[in-house]
Amino acid sequence: MATYTLPELPYDYAALEPVINPQIIELHHDKHHAAYVKGANDTLEQLAEARDKEAWGAINGLQKSLAFHLSGHILHSIYWHNMTGDGGGEPLAADGVGDLADAITESFGSFAGFKAQLTKAAATTQGSGWGVLAYEPVSGRLIVEQVYDHQGNVGQGSVPVLVFDAWEHAFYLQYKNQKVDFIEAMWAVVNWQDVAKRYAAAKERADVLLLAP
């Protein structure tokens, strides 16, 4: 059975300064993300034990735990690559990401409209959650989703291509309770090359991932 492992960061802890300080990156990756990986693996073992013993009393909690930890692992794995110290601005054809730029304009009317919606979605999550730009394969368009915890309130089949972590552990040591300030600052480190690659891959796999009218 496949198990999950903590991916290495694609940069050092200080690579995203001044937007995110090294202490946050270290704690966020080495402690929080690692905990989701462990939680997913532990839950898989508990589910295997439940199957062996035909002991299904805890199945509801175990399924919820698997969704929570596995989604946390996946979203964080995307999150690290969605950022770069050389990022920011907006996607432009001159930078080789014209398809993504066109899709954003087509789906949201303008880059400014998209940026405002994703910023608000991330900044207004109640409690813990994420703001997500996702490719929705039924319509073939990009949508913004507001994810509670790690796994709720999403369109089934949608593929995340850009994620903003709005959990307090992502920013509190540096931004205190100013979540909005953190989300606004995040735009300065967006890795549009990575987002564009994810968008292209999601489009290519759309007919395989989901069959729908």
Side-chain angles (χ1 to χ4, degrees), residues 30-150:
D30 297 0
K31 301 297 182 182
H32 291 281
H33 189 171
Y36 300 129
V37 172
K38 183 179 186 303
N41 289 329
D42 289 349
T43 306
L44 286 177
E45 291 181 3
Q46 293 167 31
L47 284 165
E49 183 178 354
R51 291 193 299 273
D52 290 343
K53 296 181 178 180
E54 296 188 0
W56 301 112
I59 185 65
N60 188 55
L62 288 174
Q63 293 294 164
K64 190 172 184 178
S65 178
L66 181 61
F68 176 82
H69 290 294
L70 179 53
S71 295
H73 171 42
I74 291 170
L75 287 169
H76 280 92
S77 296
I78 297 170
Y79 180 66
W80 305 125
H81 287 274
N82 272 172
M83 298 183 290
T84 174
D86 299 323
E90 63 180 276
L92 300 171
D95 297 324
V97 292
D99 287 348
L100 173 64
D102 290 344
I104 288 174
T105 299
E106 181 178 351
S107 297
F108 300 99
S110 67
F111 177 79
F114 154 67
K115 181 178 179 180
Q117 184 177 344
L118 182 54
T119 297
K120 292 296 184 183
T124 59
T125 50
Q126 295 177 327
S128 300
W130 300 71
V132 175
L133 174 66
Y135 177 75
E136 196 284 288
V138 176
S139 65
R141 65 177 291 152
L142 292 167
I143 60 173
V144 164
E145 297 180 322
Q146 191 178 51
V147 180
Y148 294 101
D149 288 337
H150 295 309

Side-chain angles (χ1 to χ4, degrees), residues 96-206:
V97 292
D99 287 348
L100 173 64
D102 290 344
I104 288 174
T105 299
E106 181 178 351
S107 297
F108 300 99
S110 67
F111 177 79
F114 154 67
K115 181 178 179 180
Q117 184 177 344
L118 182 54
T119 297
K120 292 296 184 183
T124 59
T125 50
Q126 295 177 327
S128 300
W130 300 71
V132 175
L133 174 66
Y135 177 75
E136 196 284 288
V138 176
S139 65
R141 65 177 291 152
L142 292 167
I143 60 173
V144 164
E145 297 180 322
Q146 191 178 51
V147 180
Y148 294 101
D149 288 337
H150 295 309
Q151 76 278 22
N153 204 32
V154 300
Q156 297 300 310
S158 62
V159 181
V161 297
L162 172 63
V163 298
F164 279 12
D165 193 342
W167 284 62
E168 285 190 345
H169 64 238
F171 63 88
Y172 201 86
L173 289 177
Q174 185 173 355
Y175 292 85
K176 307 307 180 195
N177 63 335
Q178 300 302 313
K179 183 192 293 187
V180 174
D181 291 347
F182 171 65
I183 300 302
E184 289 286 357
M186 275 288 299
W187 290 101
V189 294
V190 173
N191 184 347
W192 292 116
Q193 297 292 330
D194 181 69
V195 179
K197 289 177 183 177
R198 294 178 187 279
Y199 170 64
K203 284 202 305 179
E204 289 175 2
R205 301 200 310 266

